[in-house]
Every structure is written in C-alpha cells, then in structure tokens.
Amino acid sequence: MLKLMKYEFRKTAFSKLILLCITMVVEIVYLLGVFLKKDNLLFIGIMLLTLCATAGILYIGLESINVLQRDLNTKQSYMLFLTPRSSYQILGAKILENGISILLTGVFFAVLAVIDIAVGNYKELWDMLYRFLDMNMNISIDPWMIAFNFFSALAGWITCIVSADLAVILSASVLAGKKASGIIAFIIFIILTTILGMGMDMLPELNSIELTFALDIAVSFLAAAIFYLISGWIMDKKLSV
Amino acid sequence: MEYNPTLPIYLQTANAIKRDIVTGKLPPGAKLPSVRDLAVEYTINPNTVSRVYKELESEGVCFTRRGMGTFVTEDSAKIDMLKKEMAGTLIRDFLEGMEQLGYSRHEAITFLENEK
Amino acid sequence: MVLESREATKTYGRKTAVDHVSLELEAGFVYAMLGPNGSGKTTWMKMAAGLVKPNSGGILYQNQPIGIESKKEIAYMSTEPYFYSWMTVADVGKYYEDFFDDFSMEKYHQLITSMELTEDMRAKKLSSGMMAKLKIAVTMARKAKIYLLDEPLNGIDLLARDEIMRTILASIEPDVTMVISSHLIDELERVADAVLFMKEGHLIRQCMVEELRISQHKSVADLYREIYGHGGEAVC
C-alpha cells in the first residue's frame, strides 16, 4: 500500500512542487510588504496567498481525478493493474495519498497564515474587526470556529473528489464503449454530490458547535468511505483496462 | 544454422551435432553444452534440445552423467561407425536422386568418377 | 495443466473480441499464438494477465480464477509501451522490484547491459526497438511461472529479433510455460512446442509442431497458409 502511495505521489509531485515554488515567491512579496511597509505589496501578497491556498487545494483534488482518468483509460493502466494488488488497494492508495495531500496542504497554508498574521502584527486591526463584527452583526470570531469551518470544507472537498472518482470509474467500466458515457458519468457525479449535499443539510445541530462540526466531518468521511467501497467493488468486478 | 521448417527440428539439430562429432569438432569425451545453452545457440526450444540429447543417447553417440551433463562417447569405434552411417545416408540419397533422374547405378558411379 | 481457458468470452460493444475460447496449457511448453491482427490474441492474453475481465466464461491458473495470486506468477508483456512518462530505465526496474517478489534486479541489470540500454535513458525517448528490449528485459527479469509475451518481435529489425529471441530462450526454466503471440511465423517456427491458431476471436486449431513436421512434413507456415490463406482444412 505504501509503495502504491509512493507512486501516486510521484505522479503529482511536479505540480505540488510548482505550487510550493509559487507560494514561496508570493510569500516573499508579502514579507517585503510587511518589512518595507509597502501597503500595495502587502495587499497583493495577501490576495495572492489566499488565491494560492484555494486554487492549490482545488487543483490538487482535480489533478487526482485526472490522474485516475489516465490510469484507467490509457496503456499506463497496465502499470497498476499488472501488480498483484487488489482494486481496493490501488484505489485506496490513490484516495489516501490525495486526501493526505489535501489535508497537509490545508495545514500548511493554515500554519503559514498564522505565522504571517503574527509577523504582520495586526493585533490592532484584528481587535477592531473583532469588535465590529461582535457589535454590529453579533458574530463572534473564534479561531476554533475558523479552523473547524476550514477542515470541514477540506473534508467536503475530499468527499467530492471521491464521488468524482466513482463517476470516472463508472464511465471506464460499466459504461465503457457506450455512447455519451462521459456525460452519463458527469450526471451521476452531480446526482451523487446533490444527494450528499442534501444529506449534509439535514444533519442535526448538536448542542455544541465542536460536536456539530465533528459530526459534519465524520459524515463527510463516511460518505467518502462508502463511495470508495462501491468504486473498489465496481473496479474489481467490471473494470477492463 | 539454417533449418528446413518441414523437417523435425530435433533430427536436424541431432544431425548437426553428429557432423561436429565425426569431423572432430566435438572430440570423444567432450562435454556438450547445457540444454539451455544449446537452445540459445541454435535459437530453438529447450524441449527440442532435450529430445536431441535423448535421441543421441539412444543411438549411443552420447551419454549423460548425472548432474554433470551430456558427453560425446569415448568409443572411437562408435564414432567411426557413425561416420560410415552418415556416409551411407549421403550415398543412398545420391543414388536415389540419380535413379529418379533415370540413371542406372553403373552410370551413377561413372558420374562420380568423372566428377572433379 | 497450468492454465485453463474455459469458454472465455469478451465483447467490446457489439464486437466479440474473444469468443468462447477453451484451451489448456501444459507446464514446460512454449506456445506460439498465431493469427492476424484483431483475431483476439491480445484480448485473450490480457484476460489471462487479469487486465481484462471476461463477459462470460473465464481463465483459471492452477485451478483458481485469475486474480492477485495469479498476477504474482504470470508475467505479461504488452505490445504497446506502458511505462509512466517520467520513468528512466532504472525507474522501470525499481517499479518492478517494488511490486513483484519474483523480480531479480541482478538479472535486470545483466539484461539491460547486454541489450545496450543504460539506466539513465528515459523510457519515453526510447526508439521502438529499444523500447521492445526494455519491455523484454523487465519482463524476463521476473522468475515467473508463465510468461505471456504479446508480439515481442513487432517492429524490430532482424538483429534485435535474434537477440530478443535468445533472451527469451535463455529465461526458460523447466516447468515454465510461455505463450508468445505473433503474426510473424518464421521467428516462432523453431521455438514453439505447440501452436494455437486464432481467427476472429475463436481458437480454431492447435497442434504440436514437431509432430506436424514428423507426420505431415509440414511447416507451421504451411499450416498457417492453409488456415488463413484459402480456408483449406488442416489436419493436426
């Protein structure tokens, strides 16, 4: 399993490296803004860092779907399916590697944000914003809340990718050779995510916010696990490469 | 070596080895290549090589020592006999061919004598 | 009997690539699988390799359906290159070492050296002849029980063909079974114990080649012409 994950990482290592390089350049812009007290640079830095974080996390997910697509539909597929490994292991390695990558990228940008905020020394600004929101909109900013929101968004994104994986696998196996298999797979993906979204909305509010988010994340991962098992089963029974 | 694809490969290979034995290229008592080496040398199937060695053994041209390999017989009388046998085959083939062309045995011999 | 195909059938849309193919392969034999392009050789091999799943029927290795266990002992080499584009010759060997317990890095090194490949060559940039050698080297460096070689001589010049054929022969251990597909007969004429003739997804004839030569004074090429040339009946 670790060996499979190693090669999954190798397939996407290049774009991850590029993301890291771009982030470093942008970070330098931000730091120059801080230390030279240039508001323009500072502003551009903040904008671009936010963009790097969101686009990066989105891209890492999308790329994994693309890699799966290639691993099922080109000759490259032999590399995986000749190995004495089960479909569950092959797909599991992909999902785990990608999930861990997304989480680590999330943690990386979160830590970077904390550091940058500390370096920037915005205590005054922060307090002002805090009071403003508290008085006018009755919203209290709790760092934990932000963290929970962030990680539940990451969990939701990972689940979304796993459901897209399921659609890709369907189009390469059960729907293979049929007309409009791509479109049918896309519709299946939309239906899956819609059902999932509706299900998530129906989750009860628990008496503590922490528990509500924990439930949210747990349900996301449970859904991902179910999609994974269905996908693995289809690959095992129906996939020809 | 060139094979005739309509004749059994094992016989053609056995004949090639016999030629090497009677011409002394493979001297009496010499060790023959392993099955795999011979298969690679002649680019033929290893099962065919095993059959070649079995054939040579049954004719008494070679013998196998357990765990050591296959060797050319040390019996020089046997090799002489083999040489004569092979000559006999050539002559029979020749005579048969001449007969098909309509020459008598006597005429065939005259042809041989006049051949330089 | 080491491998058994029982009515194995695979369809792609409306086209039936392999149609109820039943055959039994014995350990220690070299089989030549012959037939024109599109006769079902590749699809049958991919089923035996576990890459393609049959629609009906199936293939058994040691009386067990093809799966993880069979993949440990059956080495398949496809006609097309399939390595990841980032790989070098060394990476290809490392990949096989990572996944196949029967892979010998030592033998791989020996084979790539004798075939004049170097470790730092990029798989993507190899010529078709070099790629064929790399595929053979990495496949034969496995100590498998069955080798399925799909068109190993395709698109390769004569000298390289000899070299590849010798590499294959040198790797045959007792009890190893080999299936080599080709639409070229000459190269396999001397090497095969038995031939399997495929036509339009069917296995239409099989016979032992030495017996063919002994009892009928026919070459495999003769038989091939009889079968595919003018549809004449061939007797085995």
Side-chain angles (χ1 to χ4, degrees), chain A residues 203-220:
Chain A
L203 288 181
E205 286 269 333
L206 297 180
N207 41 16
S208 92
I209 291 166
E210 283 88 348
L211 278 178
T212 308
F213 274 113
L215 178 71
D216 198 86
I217 291 172
V219 170
S220 255

Side-chain angles (χ1 to χ4, degrees), chain A residues 123-197:
Chain A
K123 186 141 183 24
E124 264 172 54
L125 196 72
W126 197 253
D127 287 346
M128 221 165 71
L129 185 73
Y130 190 85
R131 274 194 304 269
F132 173 82
L133 287 174
D134 199 18
M135 283 192 300
N136 293 306
M137 295 158 112
N138 208 14
I139 297 173
S140 58
I141 301 180
D142 176 357
W144 282 114
M145 275 287 284
I146 298 175
F148 273 127
N149 262 308
F150 183 64
F151 282 104
S152 108
L154 287 185
W157 178 226
I158 291 170
T159 309
C160 179
I161 293 160
V162 180
S163 66
D165 288 347
L166 173 56
V168 169
I169 289 162
L170 275 172
S171 87
S173 56
V174 183
L175 302 170
K178 296 210 167 53
K179 264 188 211 160
S181 71
I183 293 167
I184 299 171
F186 185 69
I187 294 170
I188 291 170
F189 166 70
I190 298 291
I191 294 172
L192 283 179
T193 42
T194 310
I195 293 172
L196 183 68

